[in-house]
Amino acid sequence: MIRLQLVSEKSGESFALSEFPAVLGRGDDAGLVFKEDGVWDRHAIVHKGNEGFELEALGGALVRVNNQPVQNAVLRNGDVIDLGSVKLEFQLAPLTQKSQRLRECFFWGILVSICLVEVVLVYLLGV
């Protein structure tokens, strides 16, 4: 999952993208809608490629990555994307670790059971 964080006017607002390809633009069919000046109905698309996440300008729209005009670009963590008057910072969303509580309880339960069996066997064989 990735996150696009606004670094222009509404600085700090961020958008999570988890379904790809994702269209960025002004139109209602866009996955991420921006109504700011200079944004086309279908301005750009983000999709998974062989080298990572890729950004592609649609229909001749002007897209900049790190102030360089691009038609296609492989995105890296921290890249700044310009779509018209919108500036977005591309970020990889933080990962969350699954809880291991059930596995840990199971492991400690087995360990305690083995110890108890050993204590009982030592007691029975020592008598």
PDB file of all heavy atoms in Angstrom, residues 90-123:
ATOM      1  N   PHE A  90       5.111  11.046  -2.604  1.00  0.00           N
ATOM      2  CA  PHE A  90       4.899   9.607  -2.678  1.00  0.00           C
ATOM      3  C   PHE A  90       5.578   8.946  -1.487  1.00  0.00           C
ATOM      4  O   PHE A  90       6.755   9.181  -1.235  1.00  0.00           O
ATOM      5  CB  PHE A  90       5.481   9.052  -3.983  1.00  0.00           C
ATOM      6  CG  PHE A  90       5.415   7.567  -4.107  1.00  0.00           C
ATOM      7  CD1 PHE A  90       4.252   6.947  -4.515  1.00  0.00           C
ATOM      8  CD2 PHE A  90       6.508   6.785  -3.796  1.00  0.00           C
ATOM      9  CE1 PHE A  90       4.190   5.563  -4.631  1.00  0.00           C
ATOM     10  CE2 PHE A  90       6.460   5.413  -3.912  1.00  0.00           C
ATOM     11  CZ  PHE A  90       5.293   4.800  -4.324  1.00  0.00           C
ATOM     12  N   GLN A  91       4.824   8.150  -0.744  1.00  0.00           N
ATOM     13  CA  GLN A  91       5.376   7.454   0.427  1.00  0.00           C
ATOM     14  C   GLN A  91       4.892   6.017   0.448  1.00  0.00           C
ATOM     15  O   GLN A  91       3.755   5.736   0.078  1.00  0.00           O
ATOM     16  CB  GLN A  91       4.919   8.126   1.725  1.00  0.00           C
ATOM     17  CG  GLN A  91       5.312   9.562   1.856  1.00  0.00           C
ATOM     18  CD  GLN A  91       4.685  10.213   3.079  1.00  0.00           C
ATOM     19  OE1 GLN A  91       3.777   9.664   3.697  1.00  0.00           O
ATOM     20  NE2 GLN A  91       5.173  11.385   3.425  1.00  0.00           N
ATOM     21  N   LEU A  92       5.752   5.143   0.885  1.00  0.00           N
ATOM     22  CA  LEU A  92       5.325   3.778   1.157  1.00  0.00           C
ATOM     23  C   LEU A  92       4.641   3.794   2.513  1.00  0.00           C
ATOM     24  O   LEU A  92       5.176   4.345   3.480  1.00  0.00           O
ATOM     25  CB  LEU A  92       6.526   2.835   1.162  1.00  0.00           C
ATOM     26  CG  LEU A  92       7.277   2.749  -0.161  1.00  0.00           C
ATOM     27  CD1 LEU A  92       8.527   1.896   0.005  1.00  0.00           C
ATOM     28  CD2 LEU A  92       6.401   2.197  -1.261  1.00  0.00           C
ATOM     29  N   ALA A  93       3.448   3.228   2.583  1.00  0.00           N
ATOM     30  CA  ALA A  93       2.693   3.247   3.836  1.00  0.00           C
ATOM     31  C   ALA A  93       3.399   2.387   4.871  1.00  0.00           C
ATOM     32  O   ALA A  93       3.994   1.357   4.538  1.00  0.00           O
ATOM     33  CB  ALA A  93       1.278   2.736   3.612  1.00  0.00           C
ATOM     34  N   PRO A  94       3.358   2.798   6.139  1.00  0.00           N
ATOM     35  CA  PRO A  94       4.006   1.999   7.178  1.00  0.00           C
ATOM     36  C   PRO A  94       3.356   0.626   7.296  1.00  0.00           C
ATOM     37  O   PRO A  94       2.137   0.497   7.176  1.00  0.00           O
ATOM     38  CB  PRO A  94       3.802   2.817   8.456  1.00  0.00           C
ATOM     39  CG  PRO A  94       2.850   3.896   8.120  1.00  0.00           C
ATOM     40  CD  PRO A  94       2.718   3.981   6.650  1.00  0.00           C
ATOM     41  N   LEU A  95       4.189  -0.365   7.506  1.00  0.00           N
ATOM     42  CA  LEU A  95       3.686  -1.725   7.665  1.00  0.00           C
ATOM     43  C   LEU A  95       3.262  -1.970   9.105  1.00  0.00           C
ATOM     44  O   LEU A  95       3.875  -1.439  10.037  1.00  0.00           O
ATOM     45  CB  LEU A  95       4.773  -2.734   7.281  1.00  0.00           C
ATOM     46  CG  LEU A  95       5.250  -2.667   5.843  1.00  0.00           C
ATOM     47  CD1 LEU A  95       6.397  -3.639   5.637  1.00  0.00           C
ATOM     48  CD2 LEU A  95       4.119  -2.977   4.891  1.00  0.00           C
ATOM     49  N   THR A  96       2.245  -2.766   9.268  1.00  0.00           N
ATOM     50  CA  THR A  96       1.819  -3.154  10.607  1.00  0.00           C
ATOM     51  C   THR A  96       2.067  -4.648  10.774  1.00  0.00           C
ATOM     52  O   THR A  96       1.822  -5.430   9.868  1.00  0.00           O
ATOM     53  CB  THR A  96       0.327  -2.859  10.835  1.00  0.00           C
ATOM     54  OG1 THR A  96      -0.431  -3.508   9.822  1.00  0.00           O
ATOM     55  CG2 THR A  96       0.056  -1.363  10.775  1.00  0.00           C
ATOM     56  N   GLN A  97       2.575  -5.004  11.935  1.00  0.00           N
ATOM     57  CA  GLN A  97       2.884  -6.397  12.197  1.00  0.00           C
ATOM     58  C   GLN A  97       1.667  -7.094  12.781  1.00  0.00           C
ATOM     59  O   GLN A  97       0.974  -6.549  13.634  1.00  0.00           O
ATOM     60  CB  GLN A  97       4.043  -6.504  13.182  1.00  0.00           C
ATOM     61  CG  GLN A  97       4.464  -7.928  13.442  1.00  0.00           C
ATOM     62  CD  GLN A  97       5.679  -7.983  14.354  1.00  0.00           C
ATOM     63  OE1 GLN A  97       6.313  -6.989  14.629  1.00  0.00           O
ATOM     64  NE2 GLN A  97       5.997  -9.165  14.821  1.00  0.00           N
ATOM     65  N   LYS A  98       1.430  -8.309  12.310  1.00  0.00           N
ATOM     66  CA  LYS A  98       0.335  -9.098  12.854  1.00  0.00           C
ATOM     67  C   LYS A  98       0.657  -9.486  14.295  1.00  0.00           C
ATOM     68  O   LYS A  98       1.816  -9.683  14.653  1.00  0.00           O
ATOM     69  CB  LYS A  98       0.174 -10.400  12.072  1.00  0.00           C
ATOM     70  CG  LYS A  98      -0.501 -10.277  10.761  1.00  0.00           C
ATOM     71  CD  LYS A  98      -0.572 -11.676  10.192  1.00  0.00           C
ATOM     72  CE  LYS A  98      -1.458 -11.865   9.051  1.00  0.00           C
ATOM     73  NZ  LYS A  98      -1.465 -13.249   8.584  1.00  0.00           N
ATOM     74  N   SER A  99      -0.378  -9.659  15.072  1.00  0.00           N
ATOM     75  CA  SER A  99      -0.186 -10.085  16.449  1.00  0.00           C
ATOM     76  C   SER A  99       0.262 -11.542  16.478  1.00  0.00           C
ATOM     77  O   SER A  99      -0.275 -12.391  15.771  1.00  0.00           O
ATOM     78  CB  SER A  99      -1.497  -9.939  17.226  1.00  0.00           C
ATOM     79  OG  SER A  99      -1.356 -10.500  18.506  1.00  0.00           O
ATOM     80  N   GLN A 100       1.252 -11.830  17.305  1.00  0.00           N
ATOM     81  CA  GLN A 100       1.765 -13.197  17.461  1.00  0.00           C
ATOM     82  C   GLN A 100       1.329 -13.792  18.798  1.00  0.00           C
ATOM     83  O   GLN A 100       1.876 -14.802  19.242  1.00  0.00           O
ATOM     84  CB  GLN A 100       3.294 -13.191  17.356  1.00  0.00           C
ATOM     85  CG  GLN A 100       3.812 -12.665  16.043  1.00  0.00           C
ATOM     86  CD  GLN A 100       3.458 -13.555  14.879  1.00  0.00           C
ATOM     87  OE1 GLN A 100       3.438 -14.773  15.006  1.00  0.00           O
ATOM     88  NE2 GLN A 100       3.144 -12.964  13.750  1.00  0.00           N
ATOM     89  N   ARG A 101       0.359 -13.158  19.447  1.00  0.00           N
ATOM     90  CA  ARG A 101      -0.064 -13.567  20.784  1.00  0.00           C
ATOM     91  C   ARG A 101      -0.511 -15.028  20.840  1.00  0.00           C
ATOM     92  O   ARG A 101      -0.130 -15.766  21.743  1.00  0.00           O
ATOM     93  CB  ARG A 101      -1.182 -12.660  21.269  1.00  0.00           C
ATOM     94  CG  ARG A 101      -1.595 -12.923  22.691  1.00  0.00           C
ATOM     95  CD  ARG A 101      -2.598 -11.907  23.131  1.00  0.00           C
ATOM     96  NE  ARG A 101      -2.006 -10.589  22.945  1.00  0.00           N
ATOM     97  CZ  ARG A 101      -1.935  -9.674  23.882  1.00  0.00           C
ATOM     98  NH1 ARG A 101      -2.463  -9.894  25.049  1.00  0.00           N
ATOM     99  NH2 ARG A 101      -1.364  -8.526  23.656  1.00  0.00           N
ATOM    100  N   LEU A 102      -1.304 -15.472  19.876  1.00  0.00           N
ATOM    101  CA  LEU A 102      -1.797 -16.853  19.880  1.00  0.00           C
ATOM    102  C   LEU A 102      -0.636 -17.840  19.753  1.00  0.00           C
ATOM    103  O   LEU A 102      -0.578 -18.832  20.497  1.00  0.00           O
ATOM    104  CB  LEU A 102      -2.799 -17.053  18.750  1.00  0.00           C
ATOM    105  CG  LEU A 102      -3.443 -18.429  18.663  1.00  0.00           C
ATOM    106  CD1 LEU A 102      -4.257 -18.707  19.933  1.00  0.00           C
ATOM    107  CD2 LEU A 102      -4.341 -18.518  17.444  1.00  0.00           C
ATOM    108  N   ARG A 103       0.302 -17.576  18.863  1.00  0.00           N
ATOM    109  CA  ARG A 103       1.462 -18.463  18.704  1.00  0.00           C
ATOM    110  C   ARG A 103       2.315 -18.487  19.964  1.00  0.00           C
ATOM    111  O   ARG A 103       2.812 -19.535  20.377  1.00  0.00           O
ATOM    112  CB  ARG A 103       2.310 -18.017  17.530  1.00  0.00           C
ATOM    113  CG  ARG A 103       1.678 -18.320  16.212  1.00  0.00           C
ATOM    114  CD  ARG A 103       2.584 -17.947  15.086  1.00  0.00           C
ATOM    115  NE  ARG A 103       1.912 -18.230  13.824  1.00  0.00           N
ATOM    116  CZ  ARG A 103       2.383 -17.905  12.655  1.00  0.00           C
ATOM    117  NH1 ARG A 103       3.539 -17.286  12.570  1.00  0.00           N
ATOM    118  NH2 ARG A 103       1.733 -18.193  11.563  1.00  0.00           N
ATOM    119  N   GLU A 104       2.515 -17.315  20.565  1.00  0.00           N
ATOM    120  CA  GLU A 104       3.314 -17.255  21.789  1.00  0.00           C
ATOM    121  C   GLU A 104       2.645 -18.032  22.918  1.00  0.00           C
ATOM    122  O   GLU A 104       3.316 -18.779  23.648  1.00  0.00           O
ATOM    123  CB  GLU A 104       3.526 -15.805  22.206  1.00  0.00           C
ATOM    124  CG  GLU A 104       4.469 -15.055  21.296  1.00  0.00           C
ATOM    125  CD  GLU A 104       4.605 -13.587  21.679  1.00  0.00           C
ATOM    126  OE1 GLU A 104       4.157 -13.200  22.768  1.00  0.00           O
ATOM    127  OE2 GLU A 104       5.167 -12.839  20.866  1.00  0.00           O
ATOM    128  N   CYS A 105       1.336 -17.883  23.088  1.00  0.00           N
ATOM    129  CA  CYS A 105       0.609 -18.624  24.134  1.00  0.00           C
ATOM    130  C   CYS A 105       0.696 -20.126  23.885  1.00  0.00           C
ATOM    131  O   CYS A 105       0.897 -20.914  24.825  1.00  0.00           O
ATOM    132  CB  CYS A 105      -0.844 -18.174  24.197  1.00  0.00           C
ATOM    133  SG  CYS A 105      -1.063 -16.509  24.854  1.00  0.00           S
ATOM    134  N   PHE A 106       0.548 -20.538  22.623  1.00  0.00           N
ATOM    135  CA  PHE A 106       0.647 -21.952  22.285  1.00  0.00           C
ATOM    136  C   PHE A 106       2.040 -22.483  22.621  1.00  0.00           C
ATOM    137  O   PHE A 106       2.188 -23.548  23.242  1.00  0.00           O
ATOM    138  CB  PHE A 106       0.334 -22.147  20.797  1.00  0.00           C
ATOM    139  CG  PHE A 106       0.434 -23.569  20.339  1.00  0.00           C
ATOM    140  CD1 PHE A 106      -0.537 -24.488  20.683  1.00  0.00           C
ATOM    141  CD2 PHE A 106       1.506 -23.984  19.565  1.00  0.00           C
ATOM    142  CE1 PHE A 106      -0.437 -25.808  20.268  1.00  0.00           C
ATOM    143  CE2 PHE A 106       1.618 -25.286  19.144  1.00  0.00           C
ATOM    144  CZ  PHE A 106       0.634 -26.208  19.498  1.00  0.00           C
ATOM    145  N   PHE A 107       3.080 -21.753  22.231  1.00  0.00           N
ATOM    146  CA  PHE A 107       4.450 -22.171  22.501  1.00  0.00           C
ATOM    147  C   PHE A 107       4.698 -22.317  23.997  1.00  0.00           C
ATOM    148  O   PHE A 107       5.243 -23.323  24.456  1.00  0.00           O
ATOM    149  CB  PHE A 107       5.439 -21.154  21.909  1.00  0.00           C
ATOM    150  CG  PHE A 107       6.852 -21.398  22.336  1.00  0.00           C
ATOM    151  CD1 PHE A 107       7.606 -22.390  21.750  1.00  0.00           C
ATOM    152  CD2 PHE A 107       7.431 -20.638  23.349  1.00  0.00           C
ATOM    153  CE1 PHE A 107       8.914 -22.625  22.148  1.00  0.00           C
ATOM    154  CE2 PHE A 107       8.730 -20.870  23.759  1.00  0.00           C
ATOM    155  CZ  PHE A 107       9.472 -21.862  23.153  1.00  0.00           C
ATOM    156  N   TRP A 108       4.315 -21.288  24.805  1.00  0.00           N
ATOM    157  CA  TRP A 108       4.548 -21.338  26.236  1.00  0.00           C
ATOM    158  C   TRP A 108       3.716 -22.439  26.894  1.00  0.00           C
ATOM    159  O   TRP A 108       4.174 -23.084  27.848  1.00  0.00           O
ATOM    160  CB  TRP A 108       4.272 -19.983  26.889  1.00  0.00           C
ATOM    161  CG  TRP A 108       5.372 -19.022  26.582  1.00  0.00           C
ATOM    162  CD1 TRP A 108       5.325 -17.968  25.748  1.00  0.00           C
ATOM    163  CD2 TRP A 108       6.709 -19.072  27.091  1.00  0.00           C
ATOM    164  NE1 TRP A 108       6.545 -17.340  25.691  1.00  0.00           N
ATOM    165  CE2 TRP A 108       7.421 -17.990  26.515  1.00  0.00           C
ATOM    166  CE3 TRP A 108       7.381 -19.926  27.965  1.00  0.00           C
ATOM    167  CZ2 TRP A 108       8.751 -17.738  26.792  1.00  0.00           C
ATOM    168  CZ3 TRP A 108       8.721 -19.657  28.238  1.00  0.00           C
ATOM    169  CH2 TRP A 108       9.391 -18.592  27.657  1.00  0.00           C
ATOM    170  N   GLY A 109       2.515 -22.693  26.383  1.00  0.00           N
ATOM    171  CA  GLY A 109       1.699 -23.791  26.908  1.00  0.00           C
ATOM    172  C   GLY A 109       2.369 -25.140  26.686  1.00  0.00           C
ATOM    173  O   GLY A 109       2.415 -25.986  27.587  1.00  0.00           O
ATOM    174  N   ILE A 110       2.914 -25.366  25.488  1.00  0.00           N
ATOM    175  CA  ILE A 110       3.633 -26.612  25.185  1.00  0.00           C
ATOM    176  C   ILE A 110       4.870 -26.734  26.069  1.00  0.00           C
ATOM    177  O   ILE A 110       5.151 -27.803  26.627  1.00  0.00           O
ATOM    178  CB  ILE A 110       4.034 -26.652  23.685  1.00  0.00           C
ATOM    179  CG1 ILE A 110       2.807 -26.723  22.799  1.00  0.00           C
ATOM    180  CG2 ILE A 110       4.988 -27.791  23.395  1.00  0.00           C
ATOM    181  CD1 ILE A 110       2.040 -28.021  22.893  1.00  0.00           C
ATOM    182  N   LEU A 111       5.626 -25.644  26.231  1.00  0.00           N
ATOM    183  CA  LEU A 111       6.836 -25.660  27.039  1.00  0.00           C
ATOM    184  C   LEU A 111       6.528 -26.001  28.505  1.00  0.00           C
ATOM    185  O   LEU A 111       7.209 -26.836  29.117  1.00  0.00           O
ATOM    186  CB  LEU A 111       7.556 -24.315  26.936  1.00  0.00           C
ATOM    187  CG  LEU A 111       8.946 -24.249  27.540  1.00  0.00           C
ATOM    188  CD1 LEU A 111       9.880 -25.224  26.842  1.00  0.00           C
ATOM    189  CD2 LEU A 111       9.497 -22.840  27.431  1.00  0.00           C
ATOM    190  N   VAL A 112       5.497 -25.375  29.057  1.00  0.00           N
ATOM    191  CA  VAL A 112       5.096 -25.653  30.447  1.00  0.00           C
ATOM    192  C   VAL A 112       4.634 -27.099  30.573  1.00  0.00           C
ATOM    193  O   VAL A 112       4.969 -27.792  31.546  1.00  0.00           O
ATOM    194  CB  VAL A 112       4.006 -24.656  30.910  1.00  0.00           C
ATOM    195  CG1 VAL A 112       3.376 -25.097  32.209  1.00  0.00           C
ATOM    196  CG2 VAL A 112       4.606 -23.262  31.039  1.00  0.00           C
ATOM    197  N   SER A 113       3.888 -27.612  29.590  1.00  0.00           N
ATOM    198  CA  SER A 113       3.426 -29.006  29.624  1.00  0.00           C
ATOM    199  C   SER A 113       4.592 -29.983  29.620  1.00  0.00           C
ATOM    200  O   SER A 113       4.602 -30.970  30.370  1.00  0.00           O
ATOM    201  CB  SER A 113       2.516 -29.291  28.425  1.00  0.00           C
ATOM    202  OG  SER A 113       1.392 -28.462  28.447  1.00  0.00           O
ATOM    203  N   ILE A 114       5.588 -29.739  28.799  1.00  0.00           N
ATOM    204  CA  ILE A 114       6.764 -30.610  28.742  1.00  0.00           C
ATOM    205  C   ILE A 114       7.494 -30.604  30.084  1.00  0.00           C
ATOM    206  O   ILE A 114       7.906 -31.663  30.585  1.00  0.00           O
ATOM    207  CB  ILE A 114       7.694 -30.180  27.589  1.00  0.00           C
ATOM    208  CG1 ILE A 114       7.045 -30.500  26.248  1.00  0.00           C
ATOM    209  CG2 ILE A 114       9.058 -30.853  27.696  1.00  0.00           C
ATOM    210  CD1 ILE A 114       7.788 -29.932  25.052  1.00  0.00           C
ATOM    211  N   CYS A 115       7.646 -29.419  30.679  1.00  0.00           N
ATOM    212  CA  CYS A 115       8.321 -29.332  31.977  1.00  0.00           C
ATOM    213  C   CYS A 115       7.556 -30.105  33.046  1.00  0.00           C
ATOM    214  O   CYS A 115       8.157 -30.806  33.873  1.00  0.00           O
ATOM    215  CB  CYS A 115       8.493 -27.871  32.391  1.00  0.00           C
ATOM    216  SG  CYS A 115       9.711 -27.000  31.391  1.00  0.00           S
ATOM    217  N   LEU A 116       6.232 -29.965  33.046  1.00  0.00           N
ATOM    218  CA  LEU A 116       5.420 -30.695  34.032  1.00  0.00           C
ATOM    219  C   LEU A 116       5.537 -32.203  33.841  1.00  0.00           C
ATOM    220  O   LEU A 116       5.637 -32.947  34.819  1.00  0.00           O
ATOM    221  CB  LEU A 116       3.958 -30.259  33.943  1.00  0.00           C
ATOM    222  CG  LEU A 116       3.647 -28.861  34.483  1.00  0.00           C
ATOM    223  CD1 LEU A 116       2.189 -28.511  34.222  1.00  0.00           C
ATOM    224  CD2 LEU A 116       3.958 -28.773  35.965  1.00  0.00           C
ATOM    225  N   VAL A 117       5.530 -32.665  32.603  1.00  0.00           N
ATOM    226  CA  VAL A 117       5.682 -34.095  32.328  1.00  0.00           C
ATOM    227  C   VAL A 117       7.045 -34.576  32.821  1.00  0.00           C
ATOM    228  O   VAL A 117       7.161 -35.658  33.427  1.00  0.00           O
ATOM    229  CB  VAL A 117       5.490 -34.383  30.826  1.00  0.00           C
ATOM    230  CG1 VAL A 117       5.942 -35.791  30.470  1.00  0.00           C
ATOM    231  CG2 VAL A 117       4.031 -34.183  30.436  1.00  0.00           C
ATOM    232  N   GLU A 118       8.102 -33.796  32.606  1.00  0.00           N
ATOM    233  CA  GLU A 118       9.434 -34.181  33.075  1.00  0.00           C
ATOM    234  C   GLU A 118       9.486 -34.247  34.597  1.00  0.00           C
ATOM    235  O   GLU A 118      10.077 -35.182  35.168  1.00  0.00           O
ATOM    236  CB  GLU A 118      10.484 -33.199  32.557  1.00  0.00           C
ATOM    237  CG  GLU A 118      10.762 -33.352  31.081  1.00  0.00           C
ATOM    238  CD  GLU A 118      11.817 -32.386  30.587  1.00  0.00           C
ATOM    239  OE1 GLU A 118      12.338 -31.584  31.389  1.00  0.00           O
ATOM    240  OE2 GLU A 118      12.139 -32.439  29.389  1.00  0.00           O
ATOM    241  N   VAL A 119       8.871 -33.298  35.281  1.00  0.00           N
ATOM    242  CA  VAL A 119       8.851 -33.313  36.745  1.00  0.00           C
ATOM    243  C   VAL A 119       8.118 -34.551  37.246  1.00  0.00           C
ATOM    244  O   VAL A 119       8.576 -35.236  38.173  1.00  0.00           O
ATOM    245  CB  VAL A 119       8.212 -32.016  37.296  1.00  0.00           C
ATOM    246  CG1 VAL A 119       7.910 -32.133  38.782  1.00  0.00           C
ATOM    247  CG2 VAL A 119       9.114 -30.824  37.021  1.00  0.00           C
ATOM    248  N   VAL A 120       6.984 -34.867  36.626  1.00  0.00           N
ATOM    249  CA  VAL A 120       6.214 -36.062  37.037  1.00  0.00           C
ATOM    250  C   VAL A 120       7.030 -37.326  36.779  1.00  0.00           C
ATOM    251  O   VAL A 120       7.075 -38.232  37.642  1.00  0.00           O
ATOM    252  CB  VAL A 120       4.851 -36.103  36.302  1.00  0.00           C
ATOM    253  CG1 VAL A 120       4.170 -37.443  36.500  1.00  0.00           C
ATOM    254  CG2 VAL A 120       3.954 -34.964  36.776  1.00  0.00           C
ATOM    255  N   LEU A 121       7.710 -37.422  35.638  1.00  0.00           N
ATOM    256  CA  LEU A 121       8.514 -38.612  35.328  1.00  0.00           C
ATOM    257  C   LEU A 121       9.690 -38.744  36.300  1.00  0.00           C
ATOM    258  O   LEU A 121       9.995 -39.861  36.748  1.00  0.00           O
ATOM    259  CB  LEU A 121       9.031 -38.547  33.902  1.00  0.00           C
ATOM    260  CG  LEU A 121       7.995 -38.843  32.807  1.00  0.00           C
ATOM    261  CD1 LEU A 121       8.618 -38.616  31.434  1.00  0.00           C
ATOM    262  CD2 LEU A 121       7.459 -40.243  32.927  1.00  0.00           C
ATOM    263  N   VAL A 122      10.361 -37.653  36.642  1.00  0.00           N
ATOM    264  CA  VAL A 122      11.468 -37.716  37.604  1.00  0.00           C
ATOM    265  C   VAL A 122      10.948 -38.160  38.943  1.00  0.00           C
ATOM    266  O   VAL A 122      11.577 -39.004  39.624  1.00  0.00           O
ATOM    267  CB  VAL A 122      12.173 -36.340  37.687  1.00  0.00           C
ATOM    268  CG1 VAL A 122      13.109 -36.280  38.892  1.00  0.00           C
ATOM    269  CG2 VAL A 122      12.942 -36.063  36.401  1.00  0.00           C
ATOM    270  N   TYR A 123       9.814 -37.673  39.370  1.00  0.00           N
ATOM    271  CA  TYR A 123       9.233 -38.065  40.663  1.00  0.00           C
ATOM    272  C   TYR A 123       8.874 -39.546  40.660  1.00  0.00           C
ATOM    273  O   TYR A 123       9.180 -40.272  41.616  1.00  0.00           O
ATOM    274  CB  TYR A 123       8.002 -37.209  40.965  1.00  0.00           C
ATOM    275  CG  TYR A 123       7.308 -37.594  42.228  1.00  0.00           C
ATOM    276  CD1 TYR A 123       7.854 -37.269  43.480  1.00  0.00           C
ATOM    277  CD2 TYR A 123       6.134 -38.332  42.205  1.00  0.00           C
ATOM    278  CE1 TYR A 123       7.234 -37.646  44.635  1.00  0.00           C
ATOM    279  CE2 TYR A 123       5.506 -38.730  43.370  1.00  0.00           C
ATOM    280  CZ  TYR A 123       6.051 -38.382  44.597  1.00  0.00           C
ATOM    281  OH  TYR A 123       5.428 -38.759  45.737  1.00  0.00           O
TER     282      TYR A 123
END
